[in-house]
Amino acid sequence: MTTTTDPTARTVVAVSERLVLTQPQDGDLEAVFAIHGDPETNRYNPNGPQRDRAEGREMLDGFVADWVRDGVGYCAVATREEPGTVIGFAGLYLHTLDGERVFNLYYRFRPSAWGLGYAAEASRAAMAEALPRFPGIPVVALIHADNLPSRRLAERLGLVADPDGRTDEEDRVIHRTAPQVAPA
C-alpha cells in the first residue's frame, strides 16, 4: 500500500541528499498504520504491530502533539523524488529517562525502503536539525539486544550501548551518545 500526500502542504524539517523530512500531519494516518501495523517492521517491538487504525491515530496524534509542545519530534520521511509518499518515520523525541532529559532517536521504515541507508540518512538529518537548537541534551536509542541491524545503525550514528548493560522497563538496551569531553 502506498500512501501519497500533498508535499506542498507539509512543513519541511530537513532535506538531505535523498530525503525530505516533514512534520507529521493528519493525512499521514494511512502511512503510520501501514508501517506500524506491519508485523515485519515490528519484529523487535515489545508491543507488536498496531492492531487497527485507532492505534495508528493515537500514535500520529502523539507525533503531532510533540511538535506543538516541543518544536521537535518524529518526522514523516519521503524521498526527494517522491516527496508526497511517506516511506518511514524518523527523528528525535524529547522525554525523560531515569530522571534525565534526553532525545529518543527513532527510525522505522517500510520494508521496501530497508537496506538503502535511509534510516541513517534520516537520523543524521534529524539530529543535525535538532541538536544545535537543544545543546547538551544527549541522544538515546532503546533497542532490543537481538535487533542487530538497529544496534549497528545506532553505533554508526555515534551511540554506544550502556557499558553497565542497563536496559529500560521493556528490556531494551540503552544506547546513548558518548559524553562530550571538554578540550584541555
Side-chain angles (χ1 to χ4, degrees), residues 102-182:
V102 298
F103 274 121
N104 184 72
L105 176 63
Y106 180 82
Y107 35 84
R108 185 157 304 168
F109 286 78
R110 297 176 185 274
S112 61
W114 291 358
L116 301 172
Y118 288 154
E121 187 173 333
S123 296
R124 283 187 187 102
M127 292 168 67
E129 189 280 327
L131 296 181
R133 295 189 301 118
F134 297 86
I137 296 187
V139 176
V140 300
L142 308 172
I143 307 169
H144 275 277
D146 58 346
N147 187 347
L148 297 180
S150 189
R151 293 187 70 185
R152 284 192 295 266
L153 173 56
E155 290 170 7
R156 285 195 315 271
L157 295 169
L159 282 68
V160 295
D162 185 277
D164 299 323
R166 284 185 324 137
T167 61
D168 73 348
E169 66 278 352
E170 295 179 356
D171 203 34
R172 296 173 296 188
V173 176
I174 300 171
H175 293 72
R176 68 179 295 134
T177 48
Q180 300 298 315
V181 178

Side-chain angles (χ1 to χ4, degrees), residues 12 21 53 71-72 75 92 98 105 130 134 174 182-183:
V12 174
L21 283 68
R53 282 174 179 72
V72 68
C75 299
L92 300 169
D98 295 336
L105 176 63
F134 297 86
I174 300 171

Side-chain angles (χ1 to χ4, degrees), residues 35-36 38 41-46 48-49 59 77 87-90 106-110 114 119:
I35 293 166
H36 295 89
D38 182 342
T41 67
N42 284 275
R43 187 180 319 163
Y44 302 101
N45 182 351
M59 175 178 269
V77 181
I87 61 168
F89 294 88
Y106 180 82
Y107 35 84
R108 185 157 304 168
F109 286 78
R110 297 176 185 274
W114 291 358

Side-chain angles (χ1 to χ4, degrees), residues 1-151:
M1 170 185 212
T2 301
T3 304
T4 303
T5 59
D6 178 4
T8 62
R10 305 190 69 93
T11 301
V12 174
V13 174
V15 177
S16 65
E17 181 180 337
R18 301 177 297 163
L19 303 174
V20 178
L21 283 68
T22 59
Q23 290 182 15
Q25 60 186 23
D26 198 50
D28 293 334
L29 177 58
E30 290 305 316
V32 167
F33 184 66
I35 293 166
H36 295 89
D38 182 342
E40 187 66 14
T41 67
N42 284 275
R43 187 180 319 163
Y44 302 101
N45 182 351
N47 302 313
Q50 292 175 349
R51 292 176 291 283
D52 55 38
R53 282 174 179 72
E55 288 183 2
R57 167 58 57 200
E58 186 176 335
M59 175 178 269
L60 178 58
D61 289 349
F63 288 177
V64 171
D66 295 338
W67 278 97
V68 171
R69 183 186 59 248
D70 300 322
V72 68
Y74 300 151
C75 299
V77 181
T79 64
R80 290 176 73 170
E81 293 175 347
E82 295 183 63
T85 302
V86 175
I87 61 168
F89 294 88
L92 300 169
Y93 159 69
L94 274 171
H95 73 108
T96 301
L97 179 67
D98 295 336
E100 178 185 23
R101 194 79 166 144
V102 298
F103 274 121
N104 184 72
L105 176 63
Y106 180 82
Y107 35 84
R108 185 157 304 168
F109 286 78
R110 297 176 185 274
S112 61
W114 291 358
L116 301 172
Y118 288 154
E121 187 173 333
S123 296
R124 283 187 187 102
M127 292 168 67
E129 189 280 327
L131 296 181
R133 295 189 301 118
F134 297 86
I137 296 187
V139 176
V140 300
L142 308 172
I143 307 169
H144 275 277
D146 58 346
N147 187 347
L148 297 180
S150 189
R151 293 187 70 185

